[in-house]
Amino acid sequence: MDFSALNDAMAFRSYDRIADICDTLMLKFASEGVAYHEEWPYSVHLLGHFYINDINSARFLWKKIPTAVKESQPEVSAVWKIGQKLWVKDYGGVHEAIREFNWSPQTQDFVAAFSELYKNRMFELLLSAYSTISIQDTALFLGMNEDDATNYAMRQGWAVDPASRMLTVKKQAVATEQKLDPSKLQRLTEYVFHLEH
């Protein structure tokens, strides 16, 4: 089996391409009648779907994985545990599932990249959903201890109230379009016309 496209994507950390590459290879091998189950990189394939936030495809893939593979490859089950936490929106549980397994050298960088991406997604969620939030909840969402979460939020411009242990979210500046006032446009046109003549 030729996994060169997958190996290249992993080597270049093109993690957003992993799911598509694996799906394409799986279809290709299946159409050629190649028995791939024993050698298939299920952990990487599942992570690829989580990386692009395609949990439904990951669920279908999980159902197709032979029971023997699930039982003999603990890393596949560990990746699936992340997926289960994603599915039920157990934000803190996702971080716990990532931390509690000793990842193989083949997946370690990928898991770390997913963890960072997930933390960023959670931070964007907090930005859009809250004006104030407790330090404890922020730490849970970001998968950090409370001190690290507070420091991280403060680096993003958030304010902290040590007495209440609350963070005030600093919303990102939104670029707004200026509406053109027709009367101003008319005056500007007349002025330019006057200057030219």
Side-chain angles (χ1 to χ4, degrees):
M1 287 186 282
D2 182 14
F3 288 111
S4 58
L6 177 60
N7 294 335
D8 288 347
M10 291 289 286
F12 289 105
R13 299 174 188 254
S14 300
Y15 300 128
D16 57 333
R17 296 180 46 227
I18 299 295
D20 186 48
I21 290 170
C22 287
D23 289 344
T24 301
L25 286 173
M26 185 177 267
L27 287 172
K28 178 180 182 264
F29 294 150
S31 70
E32 294 172 355
V34 175
Y36 59 85
H37 292 296
E38 295 300 318
E39 298 176 46
W40 194 257
Y42 288 110
S43 298
V44 169
H45 196 168
L46 284 168
L47 273 170
H49 284 294
F50 298 154
Y51 194 86
I52 60 170
N53 210 14
D54 186 2
I55 299 167
N56 282 330
S57 293
R59 286 181 61 226
F60 290 119
L61 174 61
W62 175 254
K63 290 178 182 181
K64 290 177 10 183
I65 299 174
T67 304
V69 171
K70 293 175 185 176
E71 292 172 354
S72 67
Q73 297 181 21
E75 189 167 78
V76 173
S77 295
V79 171
W80 181 240
K81 188 171 182 181
I82 295 170
Q84 290 172 308
K85 301 298 182 182
L86 289 168
W87 182 254
V88 296
K89 295 180 176 26
D90 179 358
Y91 306 112
V94 171
H95 297 292
E96 288 173 21
I98 290 169
R99 284 192 298 265
E100 70 185 14
F101 190 78
N102 187 19
W103 302 99
S104 69
Q106 293 80 18
T107 58
Q108 198 168 32
D109 288 343
F110 194 4
V111 171
F114 171 75
S115 180
E116 182 67 19
L117 178 70
Y118 185 72
K119 179 190 74 175
N120 293 338
R121 285 177 186 161
M122 291 301 96
F123 188 77
E124 291 298 318
L125 177 67
L126 296 179
L127 271 175
S128 65
Y130 292 91
S131 57
T132 59
I133 185 171
S134 71
I135 292 172
Q136 181 182 9
D137 287 346
T138 303
L140 179 73
F141 274 94
L142 300 180
M144 301 175 173
N145 65 46
E146 291 184 8
D147 288 340
D148 290 344
T150 302
N151 291 332
Y152 182 82
M154 289 174 64
R155 284 193 306 271
Q156 308 305 316
W158 293 18
V160 64
D161 178 1
S164 66
R165 303 205 29 84
M166 296 294 287
L167 292 164
T168 302
V169 176
K170 180 184 178 192
K171 300 290 185 187
Q172 302 294 331
V174 178
T176 57
E177 287 186 34
Q178 289 185 345
K179 294 185 179 181
L180 192 57
D181 183 355
S183 65
K184 288 181 181 177
L185 181 59
Q186 179 64 33
R187 282 184 284 174
L188 180 61
T189 304
E190 290 170 0
Y191 181 73
V192 171
F193 181 77
H194 176 71
L195 289 175
E196 290 179 347
H197 298 295

